[in-house]
């Protein structure tokens, strides 16, 4: 297969995976659903790197996403037949190992497949030297030029380790159009395209706030990007697939897991405040206007460590005197423990309703989470003591889970290293190794000043209703930080939102943000605000600092909160 698509002006890139564990049949669905030049898959997340790190501790030959091989066994022949190149970060901590497995699979299937891979992101052996401590995994986020080199060299399949999520899309675009390292606007446009499709069906209606508007959400299809030479892109999907591609479903994914108006990457810093979304027909959205700037001089590094051991017990509290029952259980358990763990956190979820018609509706949940470096302190010494309260505590005492041993938990933190310190390497199908140099031009990342705001709406009659009556939202995690993107559809709604939803108002609506720094970023082209809530998620998803450790529902909680909205803005 050629590294170039059939159309010199457009490359059509699809996605078949948004995370390790996504729909297994998606690769075949995308290959059979319509024309593609390249099919990508994103299998890595901060938690996934920890999982793969633990796999590698058990077997040094592992460390990659095994489900990718299952998909490929079913679909590799079909991809070759349709001349679709495959680019994936499923290599995880062992891209060379996965590339070897792909070659073995092809040989077993009797297929002539050229496999390239990208490595150099794994800095574990140099972590101490680079000032990164002693983590379990240490992987720099690489850019797209190693992928592009492998494709240009004729690879049918390219496997990478930890590249940025968008890089699996940007790399094929670079190979197709021949973009240079300073073609920042084009690179930025491709980064936006990659960011939109890398989470799979989140761009076609999955996790969409106004989901009841969508006609066919039974089984959303996976998205694809038609990237043009100038970096503009049309996001669409195969015509036969479910879900929908609208300006709002694309905006939802664009707002996912971002921070400020500058979206930093290893190849380019993308100005999200320049991006424009326009309908381009049924299930087609044009992304245009993206401007790029030189990337930062340092690469971000994903660092995972084993933080210790964790356990939890959950009490069911039913009926009257819920607060008093919770206080008794907490006081008893803490006084009965032979040794107090390093961390002992209580959460009372008041899910109960007065005069409830079912026992479940009359019940609240009291959760106790413990963490400690010593597994004995959070094992049976904790959970068995909790169970001992069953006949000695509040009336109706019971639990949702049986007692058990503690399990190890991970801690995520970001690190940073100079780009020149990372040996970004493309290994071509011939085995030739090519070192991808660091960018020659860089720029230190800085916040974008808040733009001039539109005039506020005149004072008008209001109604106290949920914010979600007019606003959409999408939230997610970046390590220990959470983001909430909020946007509206009309200019008048935007004039109201940008002056109403301030940092102080967000804190009022979401009391759990107390103690966290909150930063607001304004994206007027999208009629959107993005809030970065620092430290809300503790030390990352594996730490499980709150019951929603990836902040997936944080935006929906915000939308459910009541606020005074002008009547003229309500649908």
């Amino acid at each position: 297969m050629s590294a170039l698509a059939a159309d010199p002006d457009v490359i059509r890139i699809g996605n078949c995976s948004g995370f390790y564990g996504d729909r297994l049949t998606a690769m075949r669905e995308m290959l059979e659903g319509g024309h593609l030049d390249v099919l990508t898959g994103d299998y890595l997340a901060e938690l996934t790197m920890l999982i793969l790190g633990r796999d590698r501790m058990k077997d040094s030959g592992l460390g990659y996403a095994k489900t990718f091989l299952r998909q490929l066994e079913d679909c590799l022949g079909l991809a070759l037949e349709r001349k679709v190149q495959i680019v994936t970060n499923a290599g995880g901590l062992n891209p060379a190992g996965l590339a070897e497995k792909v070659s073995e699979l092809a040989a077993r299937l009797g297929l002539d497949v050229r496999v390239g891979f990208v490595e150099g992101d794994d800095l574990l052996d140099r972590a101490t030297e680079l000032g990164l401590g002693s983590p379990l995994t240490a992987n720099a986020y690489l850019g797209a030029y190693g992928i592009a080199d492998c494709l240009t060299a004729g690879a049918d399949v390219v496997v990478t380790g930890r590249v940025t999520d968008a890089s699996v899309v940007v790399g094929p675009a670079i190979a197709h159009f021949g973009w240079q390292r300073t073609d920042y606007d084009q690179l930025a446009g491709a980064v936006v395209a990659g960011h939109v499709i890398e989470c799979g069906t989140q761009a076609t209606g999955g996790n969409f706030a106004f989901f009841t508007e969508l006609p066919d959400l039974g089984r959303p299809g996976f998205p694809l990007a038609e990237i043009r030479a100038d970096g503009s892109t049309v996001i669409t999907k195969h015509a036969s697939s479910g879900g929908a591609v609208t300006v709002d479903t694309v905006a939802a994914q664009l707002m996912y897991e971002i921070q400020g108006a500058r979206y930093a990457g290893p190849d380019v810093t993308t100005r999200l405040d320049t991006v424009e979304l326009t309908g381009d027909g049924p299930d087609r959205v044009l992304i245009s206007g993206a401007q790029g700037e030189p990337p930062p001089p340092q690469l971000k590094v994903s660092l995972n460590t084993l933080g210790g051991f964790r356990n939890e017990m959950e009490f069911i509290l039913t009926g009257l005197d819920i607060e008093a029952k919770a206080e008794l259980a907490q006081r008893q358990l803490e006084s009965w423990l032979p040794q107090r763990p390093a961390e002992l956190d209580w959460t009372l979820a008041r899910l109960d309703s007065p005069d409830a018609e079912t026992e479940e509706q009359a019940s609240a949940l009291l959760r106790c989470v413990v963490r400690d470096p010593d597994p004995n302190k959070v094992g049976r010494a904790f959970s068995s003591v909790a169970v001992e309260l069953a006949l000695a505590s509040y009336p109706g005492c019971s639990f949702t889970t049986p007692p058990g041993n503690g399990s190890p938990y991970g801690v995520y933190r970001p690190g940073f290293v100079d780009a020149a310190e990372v040996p970004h390497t493309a290994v071509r199908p011939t085995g030739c190794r090519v070192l991808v140099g660091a960018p020659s031009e860089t720029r230190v990342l800085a916040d974008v000043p808040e733009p001039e705001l539109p005039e506020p709406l005149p004072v008008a009659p209001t109604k106290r209703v949920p914010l979600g009556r007019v606003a959409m939202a999408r939230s997610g995690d970046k390590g220990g930080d959470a983001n909430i993107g909020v946007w509206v559809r009309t200019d008048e709604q935007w004039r109201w939102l940008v002056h109403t939803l301030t940092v102080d108002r967000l804190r009022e609506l979401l009391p759990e943000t107390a103690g966290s720094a909150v930063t607001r970023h304004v994206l007027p082209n999208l009629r959107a605000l993005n809030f970065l809530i620092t430290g809300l998620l503790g030390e990352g998803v594996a730490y499980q600092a709150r019951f929603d450790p990836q902040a997936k529902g944080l935006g929906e909680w915000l939308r459910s909160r009541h606020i005074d909205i002008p009547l003229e803005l309500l649908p």
Side-chain angles (χ1 to χ4, degrees):
M1 290 186 291
S2 167
L4 299 180
D7 187 340
D9 299 320
V10 177
I11 183 168
R12 193 171 162 95
I13 303 173
N15 170 279
C16 70
S17 177
F19 65 99
Y20 191 12
D22 209 345
R23 190 188 306 171
L24 274 175
T25 58
M27 184 177 288
R28 176 165 288 276
E29 291 170 16
M30 289 300 288
L31 289 169
E32 292 182 338
H35 169 67
L36 291 176
D37 299 307
V38 179
L39 183 59
T40 66
D42 177 18
Y43 294 79
L44 301 184
E46 290 156 3
L47 179 60
T48 313
M49 300 301 281
L50 177 64
I51 293 169
L52 297 180
R54 293 176 63 183
D55 282 352
R56 189 171 63 174
M57 289 175 68
K58 300 172 187 174
D59 182 345
S60 60
L62 295 178
Y64 53 80
K66 296 183 287 290
T67 52
F68 172 72
L69 284 174
R70 292 171 57 190
Q71 292 174 299
L72 208 60
E73 183 168 11
D74 176 52
C75 298
L76 184 55
L78 180 60
L80 288 170
E81 176 188 327
R82 301 208 169 190
K83 296 183 170 57
V84 178
Q85 293 165 296
I86 295 174
V87 180
T88 177
N89 62 12
L93 301 177
N94 190 6
L98 180 57
E100 183 178 354
K101 291 293 185 182
V102 172
S103 296
E104 291 174 0
L105 173 64
R108 179 159 53 84
L109 297 175
L111 301 173
D112 181 17
V113 177
R114 292 163 290 183
V115 182
F117 63 95
V118 178
E119 62 181 9
D121 60 295
D122 194 339
L123 304 178
L124 185 61
D125 292 342
R126 300 169 56 210
T128 302
E129 167 200 340
L130 295 170
L132 301 173
S134 303
L136 173 66
T137 67
N139 295 81
Y141 285 81
L142 302 181
Y145 277 88
I147 296 169
D149 184 272
C150 289
L151 292 171
T152 304
D156 303 316
V157 178
V158 179
V159 171
T160 80
R162 178 72 277 187
V163 297
T164 65
D165 297 340
S167 288
V168 295
V169 172
V170 180
I174 292 171
H176 184 58
F177 297 115
W179 293 335
Q180 301 302 303
R181 301 293 290 258
T182 55
D183 288 330
Y184 296 126
D185 290 350
Q186 293 92 325
L187 292 169
V191 165
V192 174
H195 178 59
V196 169
I197 73 169
E198 53 99 353
C199 275
T201 52
Q202 282 196 163
T204 58
N207 291 338
F208 178 54
F210 282 10
F211 69 97
T212 56
E213 295 181 353
L214 304 184
D216 179 16
L217 201 56
R219 190 177 176 85
F222 278 68
L224 58 94
E226 298 173 352
I227 302 178
R228 303 169 180 174
D230 64 356
S232 63
T233 300
V234 170
I235 303 296
T236 184
K237 65 182 186 68
H238 290 323
S240 59
S241 64
V245 177
T246 70
V247 167
D248 287 321
T249 66
V250 172
Q253 178 55 26
L254 189 56
M255 298 298 295
Y256 182 60
E257 294 183 344
I258 64 171
Q259 295 180 326
R262 283 190 167 98
Y263 187 74
D267 298 318
V268 63
T269 292
T270 302
R271 289 288 298 265
L272 295 177
D273 56 333
T274 65
V275 174
E276 298 182 7
L277 304 179
T278 311
D280 192 54
D283 290 318
R284 293 176 63 83
V285 173
L286 173 65
I287 304 175
S288 61
Q291 295 178 15
E293 299 170 345
Q298 292 187 313
L299 297 183
K300 183 179 176 181
V301 184
S302 172
L303 300 170
N304 285 284
T305 60
L306 293 178
F309 296 84
R310 178 188 184 279
N311 205 349
E312 71 175 64
M313 288 295 290
E314 192 169 65
F315 298 77
I316 302 174
L317 315 175
T318 304
L320 304 176
D321 305 317
I322 294 294
E323 300 282 349
K325 289 173 179 175
E327 189 278 329
L328 176 60
Q330 179 175 345
R331 175 163 46 86
Q332 288 179 308
L333 178 59
E334 292 190 16
S335 66
W336 289 22
L337 287 174
Q339 297 183 82
R340 186 180 180 90
E343 297 180 44
L344 194 152
D345 298 322
W346 293 89
T347 305
L348 176 62
R350 293 298 305 263
L351 308 177
D352 53 303
S353 302
D355 195 22
E357 295 184 358
T358 68
E359 182 178 346
E360 186 174 14
Q361 291 172 344
S363 299
L365 297 176
L366 175 66
R367 181 182 298 112
C368 181
V369 177
V370 291
R371 300 181 186 87
D372 198 279
D374 183 352
N376 296 317
K377 289 185 181 180
V378 299
R380 294 282 177 163
F382 159 72
S383 59
S384 294
V385 167
V387 172
E388 289 173 5
L389 298 178
L391 305 182
S393 190
Y394 60 87
C397 179
S398 62
F399 309 89
T400 62
T401 54
N405 295 318
S407 57
Y409 71 89
V411 171
Y412 167 85
R413 67 178 176 88
F416 296 90
V417 297
D418 290 341
E421 292 284 352
V422 179
H424 183 175
T425 304
V427 183
R428 296 173 177 173
T430 61
C432 174
R433 303 175 65 84
V434 178
L435 187 65
V436 178
S440 58
E441 184 181 13
T442 62
R443 185 180 301 173
V444 175
L445 197 66
D447 287 338
V448 175
E450 185 168 284
E452 183 177 348
L453 302 182
E455 289 293 320
L457 285 179
V459 176
T462 63
K463 183 177 182 180
R464 194 164 186 81
V465 296
L467 174 64
R469 289 286 301 277
V470 298
M472 289 163 277
R474 171 71 61 79
S475 56
D477 64 310
K478 278 292 184 185
D481 302 339
N483 94 292
I484 311 175
V486 185
W487 70 102
V488 290
R489 284 177 166 165
T490 71
D491 290 340
E492 295 302 289
Q493 290 173 344
W494 171 239
R495 289 174 61 190
W496 170 79
L497 181 74
V498 74
H499 289 284
T500 301
L501 195 56
T502 61
V503 168
D504 288 342
R505 181 60 64 86
L506 182 91
R507 288 188 182 281
E508 292 174 11
L509 295 172
L510 304 183
E512 287 182 20
T513 61
S516 297
V518 179
T519 308
R520 186 179 92 151
H521 300 276
V522 180
L523 303 172
N525 284 4
L526 303 174
R527 302 190 191 93
L529 302 170
N530 186 60
F531 294 90
L532 182 65
I533 306 169
T534 304
L536 182 69
L537 308 179
E539 296 183 273
V541 56
Y543 182 78
Q544 294 187 306
R546 57 195 305 272
F547 87 103
D548 177 17
Q550 291 180 286
K552 298 292 188 182
L554 194 61
E556 287 302 292
W557 178 29
L558 177 63
R559 293 183 63 244
S560 74
R561 298 290 281 160
H562 287 228
I563 192 170
D564 294 324
I565 300 178
L567 290 173
E568 63 188 276
L569 302 183
L570 294 173

